[in-house]
Amino acid sequence: MAILQARTNSSRLPGKVFLPINGIPLAVLAAKRAANTGREVIVATSLEATDDALAELVTSHGIPCYRGSLENTLERVVGALEAYEDSTLVFRLTADNVFPDGPLLDDMEQDLLRRGLEYLCCNGEKSGLPYGMSAELTRLRHLRDAANSTKDNYDQEHVTPYIRRKFGEAYFEKYKTLGKGSFRCTVDCLDDYLAVQGVFSGLKDILNTPALALIDRLTLVPYQPTQDLPANRLVLGTAQLGLDYGVANCVGKPAQATAEKLVKSAIANGVAYIDTARAYGDSEEVIGEVLKSGWEGRARVITKLSPLSDCPAVASPPVVSSFVDSSIYQSCTALRMQGLDVLMLHRASHLKDWNGAAWARLLEHKAKGTLKSLGVSVQSPEELELALDSPDVGFIQMPFNVLDHRWDHLIPKIRALKQQREMVIHVRSALLQGLLPSKTAAHWRNANVSRPELIINWLAEQCRITGRESVADFCLSFVGSLDWVDGIVVGMESLEQLTENLKLIASPALSHQEVNAIVSTRPRLDIESLDPACWDK
């Protein structure tokens, strides 16, 4: 027995259950594929008038439909199964996932019985299958027990949390070696729908094409991973999307269409954070325009408070609060978000400026839920130490690269504090705004390096010693090999750069011995070279 949950207005893509795939509505296709080995399927929807058309649709295709509570999905599922015995095995499926088929459900049932389980889940990386190749399996008695035992809204909405707490989460792993967990085949937005439509395009029998054959075709559609491993340590830097930025940037600010492909491709490849700021031109607006099409929530956006340059040095707390509120409002508006995932101070001094009024206001916003996390972007070791000593700072972004010796004395403190509290460290300028990979002596002289050939030759030698294919590969590998670094912010303005950085970020880490050897032999640059603010523009 399988229960297929379906609602007309349940997602970012209202009415998606009616969208046709080769002429068959999504909800009908999901139900019939689940039933293609003879299993009975019931579609469970709500009593709301908005779901009348859905109920009529599935019924017209000969699929049983049960209508129940809008708010209590668990109660709706149990109600649909009132005539069945407690021992009945029940699959829970959703109408926006059309890849699961009868053979997959048969495999899951055999696995549950063989392992003597009371609950089994198939989905995502733990199953080695794409997000959306999902199903849950348990016995009806456990669903009834959950309905009678829990009044928690989350439990009632998501159906199985009570059961998972009681019996634990066991995953179906027959296909784990496929390694397709970073792929996506659900339908949450228009791009998802177009991708799924592309997978089924040209197939003669979409009801009975095996799920594994559909997975193979995911590589043919846009916005699927291009690397074997998700690039979850790569942070997409977006200063280039809002203004001309970077010493080696010959392209300039990309068009919106290019920015859209760049951001979506980064997310599809596992990039978990997008970094922007009020001060990055119209970068926030560019990102907001990209994410509004149903991609919001698939990566966390880090933005930074306005530098507050117009706020008087002697401003009273209410005036400071107004400046802070204005910056937050503008960021939310540009990004099209009700609240911000992470807000950083663009200037670490704002922790203390105006007698701490700006930081105090941010803490008030965090307490109210407008800001989920607070952080600080630092420029110097002194600022880093100030941020480390502030217990409410959960994110720190700092400039760091293979030649940057300024932070060495604070790294033990970073490691110690990360053991004591939740703290994320992101490193920017791992390529020093594109300077490190450059072999152009003029670029280095603009950065106040009097003898560029010494640095250029040392970097080339380290590439040879460590077996890296390029200076960029070497520099990113060095930073990525450090245990205190959680993410590397890399600015990009083209898909070609993204493709190259995805490849580089997936390179094997350097050994501890290699890192120590690099640190002990690296040339020493002056602060005027390490800080781009001092460069000849």
Side-chain angles (χ1 to χ4, degrees):
M1 164 58 60
I3 290 291
L4 185 96
Q5 291 175 215
R7 286 283 335 281
T8 300
N9 296 316
S10 61
S11 75
R12 301 184 181 105
L13 194 61
K16 66 182 177 183
V17 290
F18 299 101
L19 292 172
I21 301 292
N22 287 21
I24 301 179
L26 208 66
V28 174
L29 178 59
K32 289 192 172 183
R33 282 185 56 80
N36 65 4
T37 55
R39 182 171 285 99
E40 185 177 355
V41 176
I42 298 175
V43 172
T45 191
S46 84
L47 290 165
E48 296 296 300
T50 52
D51 287 324
D52 288 350
L54 173 60
E56 292 176 10
L57 172 70
V58 297
T59 301
S60 71
H61 282 267
I63 302 167
C65 181
Y66 175 85
R67 305 188 68 178
S69 170
L70 170 68
E71 307 294 341
N72 191 334
T73 311
L74 174 58
E75 180 183 280
R76 190 195 319 160
V77 168
V78 170
L81 300 168
E82 184 177 5
Y84 294 83
E85 296 181 357
D86 274 353
S87 59
T88 303
L89 284 170
V90 181
F91 289 90
R92 176 176 174 254
L93 305 160
T94 56
D96 53 3
N97 296 330
V98 296
F99 275 36
D101 60 357
L104 173 73
L105 303 188
D106 292 343
D107 283 346
M108 286 185 65
E109 182 174 336
Q110 294 171 14
D111 192 38
L112 178 131
L113 295 174
R114 179 181 59 81
R115 295 164 64 184
L117 301 172
E118 299 299 326
Y119 171 86
L120 184 64
C121 176
C122 173
N123 193 25
E125 291 188 17
K126 292 184 179 180
S127 294
L129 297 171
Y131 177 70
M133 186 79 170
S134 58
E136 292 180 289
L137 175 59
T138 189
R139 293 192 183 273
L140 179 53
R141 72 165 71 92
H142 303 317
L143 291 165
R144 287 171 172 161
D145 177 40
N148 292 328
S149 302
T150 181
K151 302 301 179 185
D152 182 84
N153 291 336
Y154 182 86
D155 289 353
Q156 293 173 346
E157 178 184 356
H158 296 280
V159 181
T160 60
Y162 177 88
I163 297 171
R164 298 199 301 269
R165 289 196 301 271
K166 185 173 182 179
F167 296 107
E169 293 187 354
Y171 280 83
F172 176 65
E173 298 180 341
K174 179 177 179 178
Y175 302 110
K176 190 171 184 178
T177 55
L178 287 178
K180 297 290 186 179
S182 57
F183 282 72
R184 182 181 178 91
C185 63
T186 193
V187 178
D188 275 342
C189 65
L190 179 60
D191 287 318
D192 288 341
Y193 169 63
L194 295 175
V196 170
Q197 188 180 53
V199 167
F200 281 95
S201 178
L203 294 177
K204 294 181 179 180
D205 185 0
I206 66 172
L207 295 181
N208 296 299
T209 299
L212 294 183
L214 297 178
I215 292 173
D216 287 340
R217 291 170 65 90
L218 277 174
T219 57
L220 305 176
V221 299
Y223 304 130
Q224 298 292 341
T226 57
Q227 302 292 317
D228 292 336
L229 297 175
N232 48 24
R233 294 190 76 193
L234 178 62
V235 179
L236 178 62
T238 63
Q240 286 97 322
L241 303 188
L243 41 78
D244 293 337
Y245 183 84
V247 67
N249 182 357
C250 301
V251 179
K253 177 186 169 183
Q256 179 68 35
T258 300
E260 179 174 354
K261 292 177 182 177
L262 176 63
V263 172
K264 289 181 178 180
S265 297
I267 294 173
N269 279 281
V271 169
Y273 290 95
I274 300 170
D275 180 78
T276 184
R278 274 275 80 210
Y280 291 171
D282 62 352
S283 173
E284 288 182 330
E285 286 81 359
V286 170
I287 295 166
E289 183 69 20
V290 172
L291 299 182
K292 74 174 186 180
S293 60
W295 287 70
E296 63 273 12
R298 289 176 60 178
R300 297 181 72 185
V301 177
I302 301 171
T303 192
K304 303 177 190 72
L305 193 71
S306 162
L308 304 183
S309 303
D310 296 334
C311 186
V314 295
S316 65
V319 171
V320 175
S321 293
S322 296
F323 276 89
V324 169
D325 294 350
S326 175
S327 179
I328 293 173
Y329 174 78
Q330 291 178 68
S331 289
C332 287
T333 301
L335 291 165
R336 294 173 172 83
M337 295 178 173
Q338 295 297 313
L340 301 175
D341 296 325
V342 183
L343 182 68
M344 289 187 174
L345 294 179
H346 213 146
R347 293 180 177 173
S349 64
H350 290 169
L351 281 166
K352 301 296 184 182
D353 290 345
W354 304 288
N355 293 318
W359 186 247
R361 185 58 174 167
L362 292 180
L363 291 174
E364 290 176 4
H365 279 289
K366 185 174 183 293
K368 288 189 286 188
T370 309
L371 311 175
K372 295 179 183 177
S373 298
L374 291 175
V376 181
S377 175
V378 304
Q379 302 288 346
S380 67
E382 294 75 21
E383 291 184 351
L384 174 59
E385 193 147 27
L386 178 62
L388 292 174
D389 290 339
S390 301
D392 294 304
V393 172
F395 276 75
I396 293 176
Q397 187 187 110
M398 55 184 284
F400 182 81
N401 61 75
V402 67
L403 296 176
D404 200 338
H405 56 83
R406 295 173 295 165
W407 316 91
D408 292 356
H409 67 289
L410 286 174
I411 292 173
K413 185 172 184 176
I414 292 175
R415 289 194 176 104
L417 287 176
K418 283 173 70 70
Q419 296 295 319
Q420 298 172 22
R421 74 176 199 249
E422 187 174 342
M423 186 167 60
V424 176
I425 303 291
H426 286 173
V427 165
R428 66 178 183 273
S429 293
L431 300 179
L432 200 50
Q433 293 194 8
L435 177 65
L436 298 186
S438 176
K439 296 180 181 179
T440 303
H443 289 160
W444 288 90
R445 292 194 182 96
N446 287 342
N448 304 308
V449 178
S450 59
R451 300 186 63 187
E453 66 280 359
L454 296 180
I455 308 298
I456 293 171
N457 291 340
W458 181 84
L459 289 168
E461 178 66 6
Q462 295 306 309
C463 286
R464 185 191 66 78
I465 293 173
T466 58
R468 303 293 157 160
E469 63 179 43
S470 67
V471 171
D473 183 11
F474 166 69
C475 292
L476 290 177
S477 296
F478 174 82
V479 175
S481 301
L482 304 175
D483 58 359
W484 54 273
V485 174
D486 299 300
I488 306 172
V489 184
V490 182
M492 295 165 250
E493 63 264 1
S494 69
L495 281 171
E496 292 75 19
Q497 289 178 355
L498 173 63
T499 300
E500 179 66 16
N501 286 318
L502 289 171
K503 178 183 176 182
L504 295 179
I505 211 75
S507 295
L510 298 171
S511 69
H512 184 67
Q513 291 77 13
E514 286 175 317
V515 170
N516 287 340
I518 291 164
V519 171
S520 66
T521 64
R522 64 185 175 189
R524 193 173 183 88
L525 292 183
D526 294 333
I527 182 62
E528 290 77 12
S529 298
L530 293 170
D531 185 356
C534 302
W535 294 355
D536 181 357
K537 302 301 182 182

